[in-house]
Amino acid sequence: MIDMTWLQAIILGAVQGLTEFLPISSSGHLRIVSSVFWNEDAGASFTAVTQLGTEAAVLLFFWRDIVRIVKAWFLGLKHKNERGLDYRMGWYVIIATIPIGVLGLLFKDQIRTGARNLYLIAFMLIAFAVVIAIAEKVGRKERPIEKLTTRDGIVMGLAQCLALIPGVSRSGATTSAGLFLGLEREAAVRFSFLLAIPAVTASGLFSLPDAFEPVGTGLAASGPQLLVATIVAFGLGYASIAWLLKFVANHSLYWFVGYRIVLGVVVLGLLAGGVVSAT
């Protein structure tokens, strides 16, 4: 392992904050940036821990919604006549989190090793750009979040599992699934944020021991560096949430599709030219 510098920690924290909620894959960007600029891998554990910062941004941004949903869920457990939208939303998030929790535990070793191959990341950036484009094209975008159903929660939860592969993007996978199901773009993005909270928080807490005592090769961050990177990710993540919700209300996802394809092609070019190593 190579000790991470403070500049690297701040830059990688910024990358995490800026890309976590956009459908362009934050884990893929962290892998690409650390390889291109320093010829090393920041590691899956560093990614998972700094995601705690961006999830804290989600908690703060949607605090009122979260408190309302939690209260409604507990109230609905006691009283059948209180089982409205917020009660159902609580169940949708719980049910949708189960698949990624199971698969994350089963394939945690592969996620931290083989899945971080840059050829795979570049391919997934391009391939899933096509998926997002198709979802944007064929999605009816007619159902608001008030029309969310159990089927929506299950399908978007299954789609979230694809985010275990760097280059896919959690928000890209779940938002695309929502569009395919006919949800409005803003509704799909909003539920995508809420859906990520349990899975990403659990992943970050689970990865804390590995992040503080990393093994193998790559960049090793100290405790203070992890803390600063997470704080940077929190600040920029909060800003990106507000920006993205306004953006998708008036713009399509095609902008991100083009960016993903260009980035994927650039990474493939760097790999072919021997500028960076795939592993």
Side-chain angles (χ1 to χ4, degrees):
M1 299 296 295
I2 300 174
D3 289 339
M4 184 179 290
T5 67
W6 278 101
L7 179 61
Q8 290 170 335
I10 293 172
I11 290 175
L12 292 172
V15 170
Q16 168 63 32
L18 290 171
T19 60
E20 169 67 16
F21 303 112
L22 307 184
I24 56 177
S25 178
S26 61
S27 58
H29 274 72
L30 285 172
R31 176 73 176 93
I32 293 168
V33 169
S34 58
S35 294
V36 170
F37 290 100
W38 305 298
N39 200 32
E40 294 290 346
D41 186 0
S45 295
F46 177 88
T47 301
V49 172
T50 52
Q51 281 178 330
L52 290 175
T54 48
E55 287 314 300
V58 174
L59 288 171
L60 180 61
F61 194 92
F62 292 104
W63 181 249
R64 291 182 180 178
D65 293 336
I66 294 169
V67 170
R68 190 182 67 250
I69 290 170
V70 171
K71 286 183 177 179
W73 186 77
F74 279 107
L75 186 62
L77 289 178
K78 295 182 179 180
H79 308 287
K80 289 185 178 181
N81 61 330
E82 297 290 342
R83 296 177 180 178
L85 172 64
D86 289 330
Y87 169 79
R88 298 195 305 273
M89 284 278 285
W91 275 117
Y92 298 159
V93 171
I94 292 171
I95 294 170
T97 300
I98 295 173
I100 195 171
V102 173
L103 292 179
L105 288 174
L106 288 176
F107 296 103
K108 60 184 177 69
D109 292 333
Q110 290 84 349
I111 294 168
R112 296 175 179 177
T113 54
R116 299 184 68 77
N117 185 289
L118 280 178
Y119 276 112
L120 175 62
I121 291 173
F123 173 77
M124 295 310 299
L125 280 169
I126 297 171
F128 217 81
V130 176
V131 174
I132 295 173
I134 294 173
E136 181 67 47
K137 178 69 175 178
V138 305
R140 298 188 305 274
K141 309 179 195 68
E142 61 186 15
R143 290 196 295 128
I145 199 166
E146 289 77 16
K147 299 294 184 179
L148 206 67
T149 66
T150 303
R151 184 190 67 160
D152 298 330
I154 293 173
V155 173
M156 292 178 73
L158 292 172
Q160 184 177 218
C161 296
L162 296 172
L164 294 172
I165 307 172
V168 171
S169 166
R170 182 186 308 274
S171 62
T174 51
T175 300
S176 296
L179 292 179
F180 278 123
L181 292 165
L183 290 174
E184 293 177 348
R185 194 183 299 115
E186 188 175 1
V189 170
R190 186 173 289 270
F191 184 66
S192 173
F193 286 154
L194 296 174
L195 181 58
I197 294 173
V200 174
T201 302
S203 175
L205 295 175
F206 182 79
S207 299
L208 274 174
D210 295 326
F212 283 112
E213 295 183 9
V215 294
T217 59
L219 298 171
S222 65
Q225 287 172 335
L226 276 171
L227 177 61
V228 170
T230 302
I231 292 173
V232 171
F234 166 78
L236 292 177
Y238 188 90
S240 71
I241 294 172
W243 178 84
L244 183 61
L245 287 174
K246 290 181 180 179
F247 183 86
V248 298
N250 303 295
H251 301 83
S252 74
L253 299 180
Y254 290 130
W255 293 91
F256 302 110
V257 169
Y259 172 81
R260 290 177 63 105
I261 292 174
V262 170
L263 179 60
V265 170
V266 169
V267 172
L268 288 175
L270 294 174
L271 288 166
V275 178
V276 295
S277 172
T279 58

